[in-house]
Amino acid sequence: MSSSKTVRKLEVVSPVPADIDIANSVEPLHISEIAKDLNLTPNYYDLYGKYKAKVLLSVLDELQGSKDGYYVVVGGITPTPLGEGKSTTTVGLCQALGAFLDKKVVTCLRQPSQGPTFGIKGGAAGGGYSQVIPMDEFNLHLTGDIHAITAANNLLAAAIDTRIFHESTQSDKALFNRLCPPNKEGKRSFSDVMFRRLKKLGISKTNPDDLTPEEVNKFARLDIDPESITWRRVMDINDRFLRKITIGQGPEEKGMVRETGFDISVASEIMAVLALTTSLSDMRERLGKMVVGISKRGDPVTADDLGLGGALTVLMKDAIHPTLMQTLEGTPVLVHAGPFANIAHGNSSIVADKIALKLVGPGGFVVTEAGFGADIGTEKFMNIKCRYSGLTPQCAIVVATIRALKMHGGGPAVVAGKPLDHAYLSENVDLVEAGCVNMARHISNTKAYGVNVVVAINKFSTDTEAELNAVKNAALAAGAFDAVICTHHAHGGKGAVDLAIAVQKACENVSQPLKFLYPLEHGIKEKIEAIAKSYGASGVEYSEQAEKQIEMYSKQGFSQLPICMAKTQYSFSDNAAAKGAPSGFILPIRDVRASIGAGFIYPLVGTMSTMPGLPTRPCFYDIDLDTATGKVIGLS
């Protein structure tokens, strides 16, 4: 077996040093060593420096006949703003499986955005002695995938406004002549992408000169309604002042002024496409199908209508390959995609999981993390990601902390950047027990998919034995397969060995097939209501705008897509302050939008910010470079 070659013994110290100090204290192995352990030969990966490599999708063709390993998803209870350690638990579990139980294992994680890294949250490489290294490379640039998404997204944004501009100043004939100019021999032809538009319009002619004036008008004039444009520009920085902007104020734009805004790059639909695609050809189709607005005739306008699907695929051709990295203990990690966990599905890529499952093989483990609490991340993992991938998980982990359970039991507000209240630092079993209703609902919701649920209790130094036992008992009473106390943050893989053993048993004892929350053929409202019911809602209330959008998407033939709820991560309900397991509330749907290329409809529950802002004291105050060693310091 593989990983015994690369297992690195950790020298653990107490108290646990800063994450970056731990990361910098360990010399990573050359990434070719990690690849070798996975039986990946050099023709199946491209090196990006010493410690990163892009694993090529061609490895899937090579391993097509191989059987998959066990598939494990890590979700959590409803978190505090400080996070409950899902990434850290994911990494710690994999270190335990690979370095201590000698299993073939691959960790599949999302790529973090630079916005939170420099903002308030910090990086997302795990923490303590359960991290992905090199930590600075993981959190900053990596192999440029997010930059590729930014470039592709903004090329499409530029194309939309440019097309409206040119259509407003030209006749049908002039527009058509410029779209299909004659070559040196005086002959005109359609480019490949134009045939997609012709087919959509029901025009079977292949020679531009054969089109009637009416067909020329339909083909050349997209006639986008500027009010309907949903496509915004993006950048991978938290910049609140770009949330709403006015464009077109230059004298050359001839008064074509409109309001728009910027989102953070990871909120781009192109990121969601990357995460849900299954192959290069599938990505080409999805990128071309992305809807950017509506024509004045009421038809959806796509990236392919603008002639851009092929060019977007070219910009994304390297980004489709997952990046191979390593944990502190030398177990392999695939980092790929990082879709926003509110308005998108918040899971790493299907292709990374598929590659990993083949590489570990039968008896091996692939552990992937789903963003936010299980009501968001695990629900979308099952109903969206697993539908498109065709993969079936055997085990779902629910990460819980005493801190979050006390908050759900009625403890004081937990605020990022402020010291924790005394209630969280001293024993209070009653508060913990009261908060276990939140964990219980996550367990029962997750069990309903047909998987075994293991609760990972992420232990902090202030937690007492009585409190930890109360959580274990409540988890088992709620139907968990097992509940295990973990200390991987302080001890690395050694602190998650019991969790690894429980996960292995859970995977080996699955007795049910995967069950979805709703069938795709149900209408948009029925699917929304099935999800709302799992939150504890007694009903759903739709705004006038939401009703209008549902009617339009149904008319356009999009009603069979899965649903991706855009909701606060801090409560089962739409109200972030409603802790525990609220029930009987009415879930308000204020708007409904669609990511047609990615393949889901997303209802907006409350207000979702897609461009975070910087706090008064951002993380960048602490980040610097040791110019003597070239090492990054202060990254959290």
Side-chain angles (χ1 to χ4, degrees):
M1 210 292 310
S2 57
S3 52
S4 53
K5 291 180 215 157
T6 58
V7 164
R8 184 193 291 111
K9 191 162 168 30
L10 282 177
E11 298 297 329
V12 172
V13 298
S14 180
V16 179
D19 289 352
I20 189 70
D21 294 338
I22 294 171
N24 284 341
S25 72
V26 173
E27 182 61 35
L29 294 152
H30 195 284
I31 202 65
S32 59
E33 292 295 310
I34 306 294
K36 198 170 159 190
D37 273 3
L38 287 169
N39 298 321
L40 261 180
T41 52
N43 51 321
Y44 288 120
Y45 62 85
D46 289 335
L47 291 172
Y48 276 65
K50 294 185 208 169
Y51 309 126
K52 305 188 296 288
K54 280 279 194 180
V55 179
L56 306 178
L57 261 55
S58 54
V59 76
L60 279 173
D61 300 325
E62 177 67 21
L63 297 172
Q64 208 173 3
S66 313
K67 290 200 167 130
D68 289 351
Y70 292 122
Y71 194 27
V72 180
V73 61
V74 179
I77 64 170
T78 305
T80 69
L82 305 177
E84 308 321 305
K86 280 195 315 302
S87 302
T88 309
T89 302
T90 304
V91 175
L93 168 61
C94 290
Q95 290 179 169
L97 284 163
F100 289 87
L101 299 187
D102 205 31
K103 301 290 179 188
K104 265 203 162 185
V105 63
V106 174
T107 314
C108 288
L109 290 177
R110 287 180 293 166
Q111 180 185 346
S113 162
Q114 286 179 179
T117 299
F118 289 113
I120 197 165
K121 185 174 170 285
Y129 287 100
S130 296
Q131 289 188 59
V132 180
I133 55 170
M135 178 197 175
D136 56 335
E137 294 183 28
F138 180 88
N139 286 306
L140 305 169
H141 307 300
L142 199 61
T143 45
D145 294 357
I146 293 179
H147 302 323
I149 287 161
T150 304
N153 184 101
N154 293 343
L155 175 63
L156 182 49
I160 296 164
D161 291 304
T162 301
R163 185 58 174 264
I164 295 171
F165 173 79
H166 287 307
E167 285 189 23
S168 73
T169 57
Q170 296 174 52
S171 66
D172 291 353
K173 189 178 176 186
L175 198 57
F176 186 64
N177 287 343
R178 285 186 171 93
L179 287 168
C180 301
N183 61 15
K184 286 176 185 172
E185 287 79 46
K187 288 189 175 173
R188 304 204 299 171
S189 62
F190 293 116
S191 64
D192 285 348
V193 73
M194 289 176 173
F195 286 111
R196 292 173 181 252
R197 175 152 179 81
L198 289 165
K199 187 180 176 187
K200 178 177 166 180
L201 295 170
I203 301 169
S204 55
K205 295 169 184 175
T206 56
N207 184 347
D209 293 326
D210 293 343
L211 265 63
T212 66
E214 186 192 4
E215 288 170 336
V216 164
N217 172 276
K218 278 171 76 179
F219 170 78
R221 202 163 286 285
L222 300 182
D223 212 17
I224 301 168
D225 177 0
E227 294 289 312
S228 76
I229 296 169
T230 51
W231 199 262
R232 289 153 61 94
R233 286 154 175 84
V234 300
M235 65 190 302
D236 199 35
I237 297 292
N238 291 1
D239 193 342
R240 69 176 72 239
F241 283 90
L242 291 179
R243 287 172 181 166
K244 197 171 194 180
I245 60 166
T246 305
I247 58 169
Q249 293 191 335
E252 294 81 11
E253 278 62 67
K254 299 177 183 169
M256 287 190 54
V257 175
R258 73 176 181 91
E259 271 190 1
T260 180
F262 273 76
D263 293 332
I264 197 159
S265 295
V266 290
S268 171
E269 185 178 347
I270 297 176
M271 175 62 94
V273 165
L274 178 67
L276 288 170
T277 197
T278 51
S279 66
L280 197 56
S281 59
D282 177 64
M283 184 170 76
R284 168 64 187 88
E285 294 306 311
R286 286 174 182 271
L287 290 172
K289 283 196 297 194
M290 293 187 305
V291 173
V292 300
I294 309 293
S295 74
K296 286 171 186 165
R297 288 188 290 262
D299 301 319
V301 178
T302 67
D304 269 345
D305 289 328
L306 286 153
L308 214 60
L312 297 179
T313 310
V314 168
L315 284 171
M316 293 293 293
K317 72 179 176 61
D318 295 325
I320 196 172
H321 304 295
T323 301
L324 181 65
M325 295 187 76
Q326 63 192 285
T327 67
L328 285 168
E329 296 186 59
T331 60
V333 181
L334 283 178
V335 184
H336 202 211
F340 218 64
N342 292 107
I343 63 158
H345 62 295
N347 281 260
S348 63
S349 79
I350 285 173
V351 290
D353 291 1
K354 284 195 159 185
I355 289 169
L357 285 162
K358 296 294 182 199
L359 289 173
V360 300
F365 291 83
V366 171
V367 184
T368 188
E369 180 206 348
F372 293 151
D375 56 318
I376 297 181
T378 306
E379 184 270 307
K380 293 174 182 180
F381 171 86
M382 300 291 185
N383 292 307
I384 300 174
K385 187 176 177 181
C386 288
R387 277 190 210 267
Y388 284 123
S389 70
L391 299 172
T392 301
Q394 287 77 37
C395 173
I397 292 170
V398 173
V399 178
T401 61
I402 300 294
R403 175 178 69 196
L405 290 167
K406 283 181 174 177
M407 178 188 74
H408 288 296
V414 176
V415 182
K418 287 190 179 175
L420 280 171
D421 187 274
H422 180 69
Y424 297 104
L425 306 173
S426 55
E427 183 172 283
N428 190 328
V429 177
D430 290 345
L431 208 54
V432 173
E433 285 177 339
C436 281
V437 291
N438 182 273
M439 177 180 67
R441 184 178 290 169
H442 284 297
I443 292 168
S444 60
N445 280 356
T446 307
K447 267 187 77 176
Y449 296 110
V451 297
N452 283 329
V453 177
V454 174
V455 173
I457 307 164
N458 190 12
K459 184 179 185 296
F460 292 7
S461 58
T462 50
D463 301 340
T464 70
E465 200 174 336
E467 289 174 331
L468 294 164
N469 284 336
V471 181
K472 271 187 87 163
N473 294 337
L476 295 171
F481 181 87
D482 205 347
V484 184
I485 296 159
C486 315
T487 60
H488 45 274
H489 183 273
H491 303 120
K494 188 179 178 184
V497 169
D498 289 347
L499 176 64
I501 292 166
V503 165
Q504 182 177 352
K505 282 184 187 158
C507 288
E508 290 167 351
N509 286 284
V510 170
S511 55
Q512 298 178 62
L514 179 63
K515 289 178 278 203
F516 297 120
L517 197 53
Y518 51 79
L520 287 181
E521 55 272 19
H522 277 186
I524 292 173
K525 280 189 173 181
E526 284 177 278
K527 288 184 278 204
I528 289 171
E529 281 148 29
I531 298 170
K533 194 175 170 188
S534 77
Y535 296 157
S538 58
V540 178
E541 189 177 84
Y542 301 91
S543 71
E544 198 181 319
Q545 172 69 6
E547 294 276 10
K548 195 175 97 182
Q549 294 296 100
I550 289 169
E551 190 184 340
M552 182 183 74
Y553 293 136
S554 302
K555 204 163 79 182
Q556 290 172 347
F558 300 138
S559 65
Q560 293 212 332
L561 291 172
I563 299 296
C564 187
M565 296 288 249
K567 176 183 82 71
T568 177
Q569 67 269 36
Y570 296 124
S571 173
F572 274 110
S573 74
D574 61 301
N575 174 13
K579 304 303 181 189
S583 59
F585 57 91
I586 300 294
L587 194 75
I589 306 294
R590 71 175 180 89
D591 199 358
V592 177
R593 295 179 193 165
S595 291
I596 302 303
F600 52 74
I601 301 282
Y602 64 100
L604 272 69
V605 184
T607 308
M608 287 294 124
S609 174
T610 50
M611 171 55 90
L614 289 170
T616 308
R617 192 198 185 282
C619 294
F620 61 61
Y621 272 89
D622 301 313
I623 298 169
D624 212 327
L625 195 70
D626 182 331
T627 53
T629 63
K631 288 196 168 180
V632 174
I633 51 177
L635 205 57
S636 62

